[in-house]
Amino acid sequence: MRKYVIMGIQGSGKGTQAQLLAADFDLVHIAVGDIFRWNVEQHTKLGAHVRRIMSVGELVDDEVVESIVRERLERHDWNYGFIIDGFPRNARQAEFFLESYDIDGVILLEMPDEDVAGRVLSRRICSACGLDDDVAGRDPAEADVCAACGGQLVAREDDNPEALAARLRDYHEKTKPIVELFERKEFVARVDATQSIPVVQTEIRRQLGL
Ligand code: AMP
């Protein structure tokens, strides 16, 4: 059983790296942002609650986030473990999490702020398969076609300069300080996220002994 948390600034590749790890080690990838986006698309009551908060790049209230995470983990469909992405995002969430779960490792993807805007503003999500794609430098004729499945790529509503500025501010003020909390209790694998996707993945596995 392996239980990991993946952290990092916006655009550092958390989702991509978590999916690669999950696929090879049979881990369940739990992305809190994806759960919220699904609810927005499906027009659920939760979706109606989080839609405006997300679109301006603010954090959803802790009670809501914690109940979503608790509910998801209580499904116990993670026989081989899980990798959780986008949570915890502040000290209260981290304390709630550490009280209930033993974590085997925290992956911290490190990237300078200067690299964030370029990556996030060229990021698209496939509306068919849900994978992240990067359209930087791509031929305009193919810029909205998913490289994996041919589906239609769309930009996230919060991948705009204003919402991004709010998300970056929260990352530095609220999320980054919890790395110290994890460092006191858990093993934190710090990885340079400016490298290519396979290099970052190899380095994560090396540091986690996988
Ligand atoms: P993400 O896909 O991780 O960037 O999350 C997208 C948005 O969902 C965030 O900007 C927040 O509005 C919300 N969200 C996701 N995870 C959390 C969390 N742990 N705490 C509060 N809000 C969250």
Side-chain angles (χ1 to χ4, degrees):
M1 173 82 69
R2 301 181 167 110
K3 288 176 270 171
Y4 301 121
V5 169
I6 189 161
M7 297 180 61
I9 206 162
Q10 284 70 23
S12 58
K14 295 187 291 292
T16 303
Q17 296 297 338
Q19 274 157 3
L20 290 171
L21 211 58
D24 276 359
F25 296 94
D26 267 336
L27 309 177
V28 173
H29 173 214
I30 301 172
V32 177
D34 286 353
I35 296 175
F36 287 150
R37 273 185 290 279
W38 183 88
N39 277 276
V40 170
E41 275 161 28
Q42 302 298 317
H43 303 284
T44 67
K45 202 171 157 206
L46 173 65
H49 174 71
V50 300
R51 178 167 195 167
R52 191 208 59 85
I53 303 175
M54 288 177 77
S55 68
V56 292
E58 286 172 9
L59 292 177
V60 173
D61 22 315
D62 292 330
E63 294 78 11
V64 172
V65 175
E66 286 168 15
S67 77
I68 292 300
V69 170
R70 191 181 297 118
E71 224 170 82
R72 182 62 192 84
L73 289 173
E74 277 173 4
R75 267 199 247 159
H76 282 285
D77 55 348
W78 35 279
N79 297 338
Y80 297 97
F82 60 76
I83 177 158
I84 190 156
D85 149 7
F87 175 90
R89 275 230 202 354
N90 59 30
R92 173 176 156 168
Q93 293 180 10
E95 279 155 20
F96 154 83
F97 195 47
L98 289 172
E99 273 167 22
S100 315
Y101 297 94
D102 290 326
I103 298 302
D104 298 300
V106 175
I107 301 156
L108 177 64
L109 298 180
E110 297 188 299
M111 200 178 79
D113 277 17
E114 302 85 84
D115 294 4
V116 171
R119 281 199 182 199
V120 166
L121 301 178
S122 64
R123 166 166 73 183
R124 301 289 182 275
I125 295 188
C126 176
S127 51
C129 71
L131 283 180
D132 273 10
D133 210 342
D134 184 345
V135 295
R138 200 177 285 180
D139 180 337
E142 292 171 0
D144 61 354
V145 180
C146 172
C149 80
Q152 165 97 34
L153 295 178
V154 290
R156 276 172 50 162
E157 202 181 352
D158 57 348
D159 279 349
N160 63 68
E162 295 76 28
L164 182 58
R167 288 152 69 205
L168 272 178
R169 192 197 55 228
D170 277 338
Y171 180 78
H172 286 292
E173 283 177 10
K174 299 177 183 159
T175 309
K176 217 167 161 212
I178 65 178
V179 173
E180 281 171 30
L181 208 138
F182 278 128
E183 258 165 350
R184 270 183 261 140
K185 295 188 170 230
E186 324 288 333
F187 173 62
V188 177
R190 290 175 177 267
V191 179
D192 174 2
T194 62
Q195 307 173 97
S196 70
I197 292 171
V199 171
V200 172
Q201 183 65 202
T202 303
E203 183 56 19
I204 291 173
R205 292 182 188 196
R206 190 188 67 75
Q207 290 201 36
L208 294 177
L210 290 170

